[in-house]
């Protein structure tokens, strides 16, 4: 079995279940030593005895398969705990090579009904959580590159969402956070390229505990792998973490059900120049109103067609 990640170490956040678990297992299968991060403490079984939490369960699963893994139960939305997560990976394995940011929560509600806490909590876990770990991993790679006098190995794989691309009406907090993650990813990609580090984002579509209500109406097949299984997403994450993806940087990819789609960057559709030093209201009215007059009803900057992507 090919192990392109042999000798490399990785952090996967939100890896106790769902997508993060599948990604941690895939990175370990490809040879990486993995820090399995999932917020929370060990629980209790039916008899009241202590039982391993999700992070330890996944780490144990990796070790049972012959891999190397340790659990971490810190909260990545907390700046200090994110620092400790990165430092613990470096202490455990000597260095950090791969960071997969996946931790997240949902607090779905229409924008006119959303509470302040529902907004803040989703932005904090998704967007701030991605920043926190990235900040300390980036500092580690920069220091290593300076010591080495040249580029080092570093990979960041962030988790965005089709909710950002398509403008999910019932998820203003989630869509905003996931859009912010794309901005963070492209900024990070440009900032760290000279150090040998790449940063990319994926938009996964998967049936997990977090999205069970979203996909409740889509029945699992009686036979074969569920098109919404997290296992469809994990191989792309493994690839983006590998040496083969050295030329892939600052990219956004949609992945689900045996399909990967590369999303093109925004392009300028039209340009208008003022006939004088600056625009007036009347001039803008004469230029822009006809431009939008023939647009299909409801068309916005959102790319709703991405929701129709399927394996061919």
């Amino acid at each position: 079995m090919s192990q392109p990640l042999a000798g490399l170490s990785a952090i996967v956040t939100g890896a106790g279940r769902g997508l993060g678990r599948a990604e941690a297992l895939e990175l370990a299968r490809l040879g990486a030593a993995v820090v399995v991060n999932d917020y929370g403490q060990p629980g209790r079984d039916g008899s009241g005895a202590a039982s391993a939490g999700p992070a330890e369960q996944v780490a144990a699963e990796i070790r049972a398969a012959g891999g190397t893994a340790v659990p971490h139960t810190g909260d990545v939305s907390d700046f200090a705990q994110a620092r400790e997560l990165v430092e613990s990976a470096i202490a455990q394995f000597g260095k950090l090579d791969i960071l997969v940011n996946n931790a997240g929560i949902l607090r779905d509600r229409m924008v006119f009904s959303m509470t302040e806490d529902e907004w803040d909590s989703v932005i904090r876990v998704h967007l701030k959580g991605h920043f926190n770990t990235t900040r300390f991993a980036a500092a580690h790679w920069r220091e290593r590159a300076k010591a080495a006098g040249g580029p080092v190995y570093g990979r960041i794989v962030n988790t965005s969402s089709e909710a950002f691309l398509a403008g999910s009406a019932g998820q203003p907090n989630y869509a905003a956070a996931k859009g912010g993650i794309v901005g963070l990813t492209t900024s990070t990609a440009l900032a760290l390229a000279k150090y040998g580090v790449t940063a990319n984002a994926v938009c996964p579509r998967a049936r997990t505990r977090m999205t069970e209500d979203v996909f409740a109406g889509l029945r699992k097949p009686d036979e074969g792998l569920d098109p919404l299984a997290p296992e469809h997403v994990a191989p792309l994450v493994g690839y983006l973490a590998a040496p083969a993806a050295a030329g892939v940087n600052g990219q956004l990819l949609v992945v689900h059900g045996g399909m990967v789609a590369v999303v093109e960057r925004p392009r300028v559709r039209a340009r208008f120049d003022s006939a004088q030093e600056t625009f007036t209201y009347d001039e803008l009215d004469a230029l822009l109103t006809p431009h939008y007059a023939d647009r299909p009803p409801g068309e916005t900057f959102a790319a709703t067609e991405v929701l129709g992507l399927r394996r061919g």
Side-chain angles (χ1 to χ4, degrees):
M1 180 181 66
S2 174
Q3 289 202 313
L5 304 185
L8 302 177
S9 64
I11 290 172
V12 182
T13 71
R17 301 178 180 89
L19 273 173
R21 172 183 172 275
E23 292 163 354
L25 292 174
E26 178 69 3
L27 295 185
R29 188 187 72 81
L30 296 176
V34 183
V35 178
V36 180
N37 165 264
D38 199 86
Y39 180 53
Q41 300 302 316
R44 298 280 175 179
D45 62 21
S47 66
S51 62
E56 172 54 35
Q57 291 172 10
V58 175
E61 190 175 354
I62 290 171
R63 294 193 297 267
T68 302
V70 295
H72 186 276
T73 58
D75 178 3
V76 295
S77 71
D78 180 277
F79 197 66
Q81 292 184 54
R83 181 204 298 266
E84 197 277 329
L85 168 59
V86 172
E87 290 177 346
S88 69
I90 297 167
Q92 185 75 32
F93 302 121
K95 59 184 173 61
L96 174 66
D97 303 293
I98 300 160
L99 171 63
V100 178
N101 284 310
N102 171 75
I105 61 172
L106 287 180
R107 298 290 185 270
D108 293 352
R109 201 178 298 276
M110 298 297 286
V111 68
F112 43 75
S113 302
M114 183 161 287
T115 67
E116 182 180 17
D117 182 67
E118 288 167 342
W119 174 269
D120 288 348
S121 60
V122 168
I123 298 297
R124 182 179 68 250
V125 175
H126 287 274
L127 184 52
K128 188 184 178 189
H130 273 60
F131 160 73
N132 285 346
T133 53
T134 296
R135 185 258 183 255
F136 295 111
H140 168 65
W141 289 319
R142 180 172 179 265
E143 291 169 5
R144 281 176 53 198
K146 285 188 172 183
V152 296
Y153 191 97
R155 297 285 188 270
I156 299 173
V157 183
N158 289 332
T159 306
S160 183
S161 171
E162 292 171 295
F164 149 66
L165 289 171
S168 180
Q171 298 179 302
N173 48 3
Y174 185 69
K178 292 306 190 181
I181 285 168
V182 173
L184 172 64
T185 302
T186 54
S187 174
T188 302
L190 292 173
L192 301 186
K194 65 182 179 180
Y195 302 120
V197 179
T198 67
N200 294 286
V202 298
C203 293
R205 190 185 303 178
R207 194 191 310 270
T208 67
R209 188 179 68 159
M210 191 179 84
T211 62
E212 58 186 354
D213 292 338
V214 177
F215 298 121
L218 298 175
R219 183 172 170 271
K220 293 182 181 180
D222 295 329
E223 296 181 1
L225 187 63
D226 182 356
L228 292 172
E231 287 74 17
H232 288 295
V233 177
L236 176 61
V237 172
Y239 166 75
L240 292 173
V248 184
N249 193 29
Q251 301 299 305
L252 180 65
L253 302 98
V254 175
V255 54
H256 58 81
M259 183 216 72
V260 172
V262 178
V263 179
E264 191 168 16
R265 64 182 178 83
R267 296 185 180 275
V268 176
R269 178 165 179 167
R271 170 183 158 173
F272 303 95
D273 295 319
S274 174
Q276 54 274 333
E277 185 176 7
T278 189
F279 279 110
T280 64
Y281 169 84
D282 289 337
E283 187 179 18
L284 289 170
D285 181 24
L287 291 170
L288 293 179
T289 302
H291 175 73
Y292 284 105
D294 296 328
R295 286 288 186 95
E299 182 185 272
T300 71
F301 188 73
T304 54
E305 64 272 16
V306 74
L307 299 179
L309 291 172
R310 298 288 187 278
R311 181 180 179 182

